[in-house]
Amino acid sequence: MNKKILVTGGAGFIGSHLCEELLKDGNEVVCVDNYFTGSKKNVFHLMDNKNFELIRHDIVYTLLLEVDEVYNMACPASPVHYQFNPIKTIKTSVLGAINMLGLAKRVKAKILQASTSEVYGDPAIHPQPESYWGNVNPIGIRSCYDEGKRCAETLFFDYHRQHKLKIKVIRIFNTYGPKMNPNDRRVVSNFIVQALKGEDITVYGKGDQTRSFCYVDDLVSGIIKMMNSKDQFVGPVNLGNPGEFTILELAKKIIEMTGSKSKIVYNELPSDDPKQRKPIIDLAKKELDWEPKIKLEDGLKKTIEYFDKLLRV
Ligand SMILES: NC(=O)c1ccc[n+]([C@@H]2O[C@H](COP(=O)([O-])OP(=O)(O)OC[C@H]3O[C@@H](n4cnc5c(N)ncnc54)[C@H](O)[C@@H]3O)[C@@H](O)[C@H]2O)c1
């Protein structure tokens, strides 16, 4: 049966891919976004679809809608954007979660929270299982995002315990792909844009910190599988690609794939920058029968093509 689905942050990078997939499955999709980091351009091609509706709204304020499911994706995800107005970031995570949970409670909808690997902070154990409680600085410059997302997880579980709400919590690890914002200085998009423009590639520290990169199509399939999993499985579940690369390896790979003449330069490491990040995805494999399929080279190729086209217009 087709469902009516709300996607908050639906005009953002991951949200817009999610809207596309949910429409392909024959659902009605209501996309809500305040366009802080997202853009109408990301969903423009969906506007002619009779099953798609776009609403400009900020989830810090209440919203009344009748839907069967809510994917709560709204929140700036790159440090440059979430640190632009840290108090607003916390409001989006916390008040936004309260508003969306209230909406779901009123109409008895199932609700999924896009949480993050940042809840593990600068992890003291590696790789990270869901059972790890994290090593988060509560007063640093990343805290508005990390602690906001941690509080949102708490709210989801309290609504589940107190009101029997059907919840799903996913912890997303570094995801990349077309429609990333070219100016948000996230590592993959930043390196690709710098390489394509022939500018210096800025590596923080020595570049020996590691990250795991998941292509957006893989992630979106995991998100939808989580929403459709049995009610008893509420998470949190890690969704990400366990393949681990140093930032320097990534920079070199992108220079090679773009054929760029860019040079690598080394900048000071920002504070609280995690030294390593890699998900354990055994739970997702077991409960969702999910694991990423797209290799880094293949995902990078598609992302480079996207940015190449974008920079030419
Ligand atoms: N991309 C990643 O690697 C990653 C990793 C971990 C978690 N996540 C989470 O996934 C979600 C989507 O991330 P993304 O990478 O697509 O980021 P994004 O910035 O492209 O998308 C976020 C969207 O939310 C919208 N938004 C922000 N504040 C809002 C508000 N108050 N009301 C309504 N809309 C608002 C933005 O305009 C944007 O369209 C976020 O919740 C993020 O924390 C992403």
Side-chain angles (χ1 to χ4, degrees):
M1 208 176 66
N2 299 342
K3 293 171 284 196
K4 187 158 184 183
I5 301 176
L6 166 62
V7 179
T8 74
F13 159 50
I14 299 172
S16 58
H17 287 274
L18 181 61
C19 288
E20 258 174 44
E21 279 310 303
L22 293 170
L23 286 167
K24 269 188 213 159
D25 290 341
N27 300 295
E28 270 182 61
V29 173
V30 183
C31 167
V32 163
D33 207 294
N34 70 351
Y35 307 131
F36 175 48
T37 51
S39 161
K40 256 194 217 174
K41 279 187 207 141
N42 287 338
V43 287
F44 209 65
H45 61 296
L46 305 175
M47 301 297 262
D48 287 339
N49 189 323
K50 65 177 178 12
N51 287 330
F52 183 73
E53 193 179 341
L54 179 61
I55 302 176
R56 184 187 197 122
H57 175 79
D58 191 313
I59 62 158
V60 162
Y61 303 97
T62 51
L63 177 68
L64 296 179
L65 281 176
E66 271 66 46
V67 291
D68 305 304
E69 291 177 352
V70 181
Y71 288 83
N72 190 32
M73 311 299 294
C75 186
S78 71
V80 61
H81 286 128
Y82 71 63
Q83 287 165 9
F84 173 74
N85 184 346
I87 295 168
K88 176 69 197 237
T89 301
I90 299 177
K91 284 185 180 172
T92 295
S93 275
V94 178
L95 295 179
I98 291 172
N99 287 330
M100 291 308 114
L101 286 160
L103 181 154
K105 179 174 166 252
R106 190 177 64 85
V107 298
K108 297 191 172 51
K110 197 183 339 177
I111 180 165
L112 177 143
Q113 167 68 359
S115 190
T116 167
S117 57
E118 300 287 333
V119 299
Y120 300 124
D122 189 0
I125 63 165
H126 187 73
Q128 294 80 49
E130 291 85 351
S131 54
Y132 179 51
W133 289 354
N135 176 34
V136 180
N137 175 0
I139 57 167
I141 54 169
R142 300 175 76 104
S143 313
C144 59
Y145 185 72
D146 303 3
E147 297 288 21
K149 288 284 189 180
R150 285 169 70 94
C151 183
E153 284 198 12
T154 310
L155 282 162
F156 267 67
F157 278 83
D158 281 333
Y159 267 77
H160 177 60
R161 282 183 288 256
Q162 204 171 325
H163 298 298
K164 309 282 174 266
L165 206 68
K166 288 183 188 169
I167 62 153
K168 303 279 177 185
V169 175
I170 56 167
R171 291 183 178 154
I172 303 173
F173 282 66
N174 220 321
T175 299
Y176 70 98
K179 294 197 208 160
M180 288 180 92
N181 184 325
N183 304 315
D184 71 7
R185 296 199 228 134
R186 280 193 264 187
V187 64
V188 175
S189 47
N190 201 28
F191 286 179
I192 292 177
V193 170
Q194 288 173 330
L196 289 173
K197 288 184 173 169
E199 293 170 356
D200 289 345
I201 307 253
T202 45
V203 165
Y204 296 120
K206 292 188 195 127
D208 55 359
Q209 65 275 41
T210 67
R211 294 292 184 273
S212 306
F213 303 104
C214 185
Y215 188 65
V216 65
D217 290 357
D218 274 335
L219 178 80
V220 165
S221 92
I223 297 177
I224 295 174
K225 279 192 164 193
M226 178 57 172
M227 182 61 107
N228 295 333
S229 64
K230 57 179 190 268
D231 286 350
Q232 304 90 289
F233 183 58
V234 294
V237 63
N238 288 340
L239 293 183
N241 193 323
E244 193 180 10
F245 297 87
T246 69
I247 294 297
L248 198 56
E249 278 173 327
L250 178 75
K252 287 181 179 163
K253 201 177 270 291
I254 288 174
I255 291 177
E256 184 197 310
M257 288 181 71
T258 50
S260 172
K261 297 204 163 42
S262 294
K263 284 198 254 345
I264 295 174
V265 297
Y266 297 88
N267 283 2
E268 206 179 313
L269 205 60
S271 75
D272 294 338
D273 194 49
K275 285 181 268 309
Q276 47 188 16
R277 252 323 148 52
K278 172 179 167 162
I280 292 180
I281 58 163
D282 294 353
L283 191 62
K285 278 187 193 164
K286 179 170 164 268
E287 294 290 341
L288 309 177
D289 189 24
W290 175 87
E291 65 182 309
K293 294 191 169 62
I294 297 157
K295 289 201 206 93
L296 183 64
E297 287 76 15
D298 298 338
L300 282 179
K301 190 166 173 276
K302 291 184 195 188
T303 314
I304 290 167
E305 279 164 14
Y306 169 81
F307 279 112
D308 191 35
K309 222 185 251 174
L310 192 80
L311 294 178
R312 281 170 201 272
V313 280

